[in-house]
């Protein structure tokens, strides 16, 4: 398993070992011991899965109590994180990665970072672990195209947004 730091202070890209054979492949998607050794020490308490079509943009969402471990199980996404910690030297700065079922990458998103993704493939299945239970009173969002942040999303036209994300 390989762990690499983001240009921001906190996010970590995880590249698990994948063992392919004539039946398909096997990979370990989480090991508390291995991840703790790389600095990911949260206890994850909730798992979620979303299925989205090409052009869907989900985010940017955050909860100051919650870290996430995100992976794309099928398809391909452009996955972005934004530092929302007001006392951070990288406040409102962003970083992004391509996550896919083919590259097997995961992205650790620490508490204090907004997260969102844009679907590049016809369909994408995204799984993520959370270190806190969802509670709408703690949910926060920032508009996907906030000019203070300036994420360079790889989109050609208007993205498909939820009503909630469109109203940020």
């Amino acid at each position: 398993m390989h762990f690499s730091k983001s240009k921001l202070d906190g996010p970590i890209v995880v590249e698990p070992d994948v063992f392919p054979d004539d039946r398909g492949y096997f990979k370990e998607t989480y090991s508390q011991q291995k991840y703790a050794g790389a600095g990911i020490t949260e206890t994850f308490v909730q798992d979620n899965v979303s299925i989205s079509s090409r052009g869907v943009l989900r985010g940017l969402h955050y909860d100051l109590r919650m870290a996430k471990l995100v992976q794309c199980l099928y398809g391909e996404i452009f996955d972005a994180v934004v530092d929302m910690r007001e006392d951070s030297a990288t406040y409102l700065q962003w970083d992004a990665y391509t996550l896919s079922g083919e590259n097997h990458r995961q992205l650790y998103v620490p508490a204090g970072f907004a997260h969102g993704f844009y679907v590049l493939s016809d369909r994408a299945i995204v799984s993520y672990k959370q270190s806190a239970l969802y509670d709408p009173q703690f949910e926060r969002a920032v508009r996907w195209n906030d000019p203070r942040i300036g994420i360079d999303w790889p989109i050609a036209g208007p993205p498909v947004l939820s009503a909630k994300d469109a109203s940020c």
Side-chain angles (χ1 to χ4, degrees), residues 134-155:
Y134 172 74
D135 187 333
Q137 73 176 339
F138 295 108
E139 184 179 34
R140 303 288 181 267
V142 61
R143 188 155 176 86
W144 68 275
N145 61 353
D146 186 318
R148 299 174 303 156
I149 300 166
I151 295 174
D152 187 16
W153 297 98
I155 59 178

Side-chain angles (χ1 to χ4, degrees), residues 56-93:
V56 168
L57 194 151
R58 294 182 182 261
L60 297 159
H61 307 139
Y62 65 105
D63 176 333
L64 294 172
R65 311 166 304 139
M66 182 188 300
K68 296 177 183 177
L69 182 62
V70 182
Q71 63 183 314
C72 182
L73 300 173
Y74 176 85
E76 183 177 48
I77 62 172
F78 175 86
D79 203 9
V81 292
V82 179
D83 190 345
M84 300 305 295
R85 302 168 301 171
E86 292 181 5
D87 61 345
S88 170
T90 58
Y91 176 60
L92 295 182
Q93 292 181 28

Side-chain angles (χ1 to χ4, degrees), residues 29-137:
T29 60
Y30 179 73
S31 164
Q32 184 180 23
Q33 180 181 12
K34 290 176 185 176
Y35 284 57
I40 302 171
T41 58
E42 284 81 6
T43 299
F44 293 105
V45 298
Q46 182 174 329
D47 286 2
N48 302 301
V49 173
S50 69
I51 299 175
S52 305
S53 302
R54 181 184 301 276
V56 168
L57 194 151
R58 294 182 182 261
L60 297 159
H61 307 139
Y62 65 105
D63 176 333
L64 294 172
R65 311 166 304 139
M66 182 188 300
K68 296 177 183 177
L69 182 62
V70 182
Q71 63 183 314
C72 182
L73 300 173
Y74 176 85
E76 183 177 48
I77 62 172
F78 175 86
D79 203 9
V81 292
V82 179
D83 190 345
M84 300 305 295
R85 302 168 301 171
E86 292 181 5
D87 61 345
S88 170
T90 58
Y91 176 60
L92 295 182
Q93 292 181 28
W94 65 277
D95 202 359
Y97 300 89
T98 299
L99 307 182
S100 73
E102 295 291 317
N103 70 22
H104 304 280
R105 284 185 190 141
Q106 300 173 344
L107 181 60
Y108 168 68
V109 182
F113 282 78
H115 171 259
F117 64 86
Y118 177 76
V119 179
L120 300 167
S121 55
D122 287 338
R123 185 175 185 164
I125 300 174
V126 177
S127 170
Y128 55 99
K129 296 178 152 322
Q130 296 180 173
S131 67
L133 297 174
Y134 172 74
D135 187 333
Q137 73 176 339

